[in-house]
Amino acid sequence: MDYQLSEDQLAIVDAAEKICVDFPLEYWRDKDKNHEFPHEFFKAVASGGWLGICLPEAYGGVGLGATEAALFLRTVAECGGQASASTIHMNIFGLEPVVHFGTDAQKQAWLPPFARGEHKTCFAVTEPDAGLDTTKLKTVAKKQPDGNYLISGKKVWISTAQVCDHMLILARTTPIEEVKKHGEGLSLFYTKLDRKYVDIREIDKLGRAAVDSNELFIDDLPVSKDDLIGEEGKGLKYIFHGMNAERVFVAAEQVGMGRAVLKLATQYAKDRVVFGRQIGQNQGVQHPLARNWAELEAANHMLLAAADLYDKGLPCGAEANAAKLLASEACMNACKTAMLTHGGYGFAKEYHVERFMREAWIGYIAPVSPQLILSNIAERKLGLPKSY
C-alpha cells in the first residue's frame, strides 16, 4: 500500500482547511456554550459541494470514496472537534442505503437536495430498550390498506433532530415472533420528520452541546409506501451495509480531534516556563506527548487501510472496527495528556482542551462500544466462540 496521499487527496485536505479557517476554536467554544447549531459552518461545507463527497455525480455528488470522505472529516474534526464533525457527519454518508438500494426515482428526488444541504437528515435507529441489539427494535411501521404506513415508537440518541426536516428510520414491519431470523422483518424508510406526529425532546449531555441529541416519541407518523427503501423486511441488511464506512469515519474524526489537542498541548509545553525552563524540556512532559503522536499515527494508518479495503469492495469489518477502537483510545489518551500538560489551565474553557476531552467520549462510546468491538474481533479474526 502507498501510505502517501495523492495530489487529489491532499487537495481535499487543503479545501477542508480553507473552510475551517473561518471557524476558529473560539467559534466552536461559543456554539458549545450557547447550545447553538453551527448553521454557518454547515452552509459553508454545503456551498463547497462537500456534503455530497460520497454521492454519485449523477445525483449531485462528488463521486469519491470513503478514503476521501475520511480525510475531509479528519480535517474538520481537527478544526473544531466532534461538534464540527457531527454537524456534517450524517450528510456525508447517511443516505448510502439510498445510493445502493433505492430506486432511480428515489435517488433523483432525495440525493440532489441532500448533497446541496437543502435537506438536513437524522438517523433514527437506536431505541431506549434495545441498546446495540438492533434486532430487538420495537418501533412499528403498520401497513395500511392503501399500502402506506403508520409508524409509532420511541428512538433515542438521535443527533440533529432539532434542526432536521427528514429522517432515515428503521422500523419493524413484521413481528419478531413471525420471522425466521431476528434480523428480518425490519424495514428502512426515508421520510419527512413531521413534528405533528413526532415529539422531539433534547437530551442534556456532557459534551457537544452545539449539536443536539434527542429522544423521539413517534405517534402514527404517516409514511408513504414510496418512502420505503428496497424490500420490506430487509432494512437491517441495508443499514449494516454502511456500518463499516461509519466506523472508518468515526475513527477519522477521533484522529483529527487527537491531533488538535496534541497541537494545543505541544504549543503550551513550548510556551509555559516553570523553574526557569520550558515545561516541554522535561521528559515527564515530552514522553506522554510523543506517545500520543505515535498512537494517533498508528490509528491513522489503520483507518486509511480500512478505508482502502472498503473502497475496493473487500471485506473490512474487523479492520474498520479496529480503526475505530484504536483511534478512540488514542484520542482519549491525547485529551488526557493535553489536560495534564496544561495543568490547572486545562480545566479552563479558555484553553479549549476541556471541550475536546468532553467530546472525545462520544466517539469512544458510539456507535459501538470498545467491548463489543473486541468481542467481534475475537470471534471473526481469532476464531473464538461468540460471546453475545
Side-chain angles (χ1 to χ4, degrees), residues 6 13 38-39 44 57 61 70 74 81 87 96 123 173 286 317 334 340 380:
S6 68
V13 173
H39 291 286
E57 292 182 81
R74 188 189 69 189
T87 300
E96 284 298 298
F123 192 44
T173 44
Q286 288 183 352
L340 292 171
R380 300 298 175 89

Side-chain angles (χ1 to χ4, degrees), residues 90-351:
M90 180 60 184
N91 271 73
I92 291 290
F93 88 102
L95 289 196
E96 284 298 298
V98 178
V99 173
H100 293 283
F101 305 105
T103 65
D104 188 60
Q106 289 174 333
K107 295 174 188 178
Q108 293 284 0
W110 297 340
L111 297 182
F114 185 78
R116 293 191 298 265
E118 295 168 6
H119 290 176
K120 288 189 179 75
T121 300
C122 61
F123 192 44
V125 174
T126 51
E127 295 185 3
D129 300 322
L132 289 171
D133 190 355
T134 311
T135 63
K136 298 298 195 303
L137 295 183
K138 296 179 181 178
T139 295
V140 174
K142 294 182 179 179
K143 200 166 189 176
Q144 304 303 297
D146 60 2
N148 297 319
Y149 299 84
L150 292 176
I151 295 183
S152 296
K154 295 184 290 184
K155 297 290 183 179
V156 72
W157 294 114
I158 311 306
S159 296
T160 72
Q162 294 289 336
V163 297
C164 283
D165 41 49
H166 286 73
M167 67 175 169
L168 193 68
I169 183 168
L170 191 64
R172 183 162 290 285
T173 44
T174 303
I176 195 169
E177 308 83 39
E178 298 178 16
V179 297
K180 295 180 180 179
K181 298 180 180 179
H182 284 178
E184 298 175 347
L186 292 163
S187 299
L188 188 63
F189 302 87
Y190 182 65
T191 189
K192 289 185 178 179
L193 183 55
D194 192 335
R195 285 160 173 77
K196 290 186 294 184
Y197 305 94
V198 183
D199 181 19
I200 304 171
R201 304 177 191 175
E202 187 169 359
I203 299 170
D204 192 16
K205 56 189 188 294
L206 174 68
R208 207 197 64 180
V211 179
D212 51 275
S213 300
N214 306 274
E215 293 178 284
L216 272 54
F217 298 86
I218 308 166
D219 187 13
D220 283 344
L221 171 70
V223 175
S224 169
K225 58 187 175 183
D226 296 329
D227 292 344
L228 173 68
I229 299 170
E231 296 180 47
E232 188 177 279
K234 301 291 181 65
L236 192 61
K237 171 188 172 183
Y238 304 151
I239 289 291
F240 281 167
H241 183 272
M243 289 289 186
N244 290 333
E246 188 185 24
R247 303 287 194 266
V248 169
F249 296 156
V250 171
E253 293 162 7
Q254 293 292 100
V255 168
M257 290 177 62
R259 287 181 171 182
V261 294
L262 181 60
K263 181 179 178 181
L264 289 170
T266 301
Q267 188 60 52
Y268 188 82
K270 294 176 181 178
D271 296 339
R272 178 68 165 165
V273 176
V274 180
F275 298 119
R277 55 193 270 156
Q278 297 168 300
I279 63 171
Q281 190 175 350
N282 301 317
Q283 291 180 351
V285 174
Q286 288 183 352
H287 289 184
L289 294 170
R291 180 171 291 279
N292 291 150
W293 179 89
E295 291 174 349
L296 288 165
E297 288 304 301
N300 186 59
H301 284 305
M302 189 74 227
L303 79 87
L304 290 175
D308 185 62
L309 290 172
Y310 182 87
D311 287 335
K312 290 177 178 175
L314 298 172
C316 61
E319 290 79 7
N321 271 321
K324 189 271 181 185
L325 175 74
L326 296 174
S328 62
E329 290 181 342
C331 180
M332 289 293 288
N333 290 339
C335 287
K336 182 175 71 173
T337 300
M339 292 280 289
L340 292 171
T341 302
H342 281 75
Y345 290 116
F347 214 60
K349 293 183 183 295
E350 176 186 357
Y351 289 81

Side-chain angles (χ1 to χ4, degrees), residues 36-110:
E36 293 176 352
F37 187 82
H39 291 286
E40 305 88 351
F41 179 73
F42 183 90
K43 183 177 180 180
V45 176
S47 297
W50 295 108
L51 291 180
I53 189 170
C54 289
L55 297 179
E57 292 182 81
Y59 302 104
V62 184
L64 298 176
T67 301
E68 288 74 25
L71 292 171
F72 191 87
L73 285 167
R74 188 189 69 189
T75 308
V76 164
E78 194 169 348
C79 153
Q82 192 63 58
S84 57
S86 293
T87 300
I88 61 172
H89 180 96
M90 180 60 184
N91 271 73
I92 291 290
F93 88 102
L95 289 196
E96 284 298 298
V98 178
V99 173
H100 293 283
F101 305 105
T103 65
D104 188 60
Q106 289 174 333
K107 295 174 188 178
Q108 293 284 0
W110 297 340

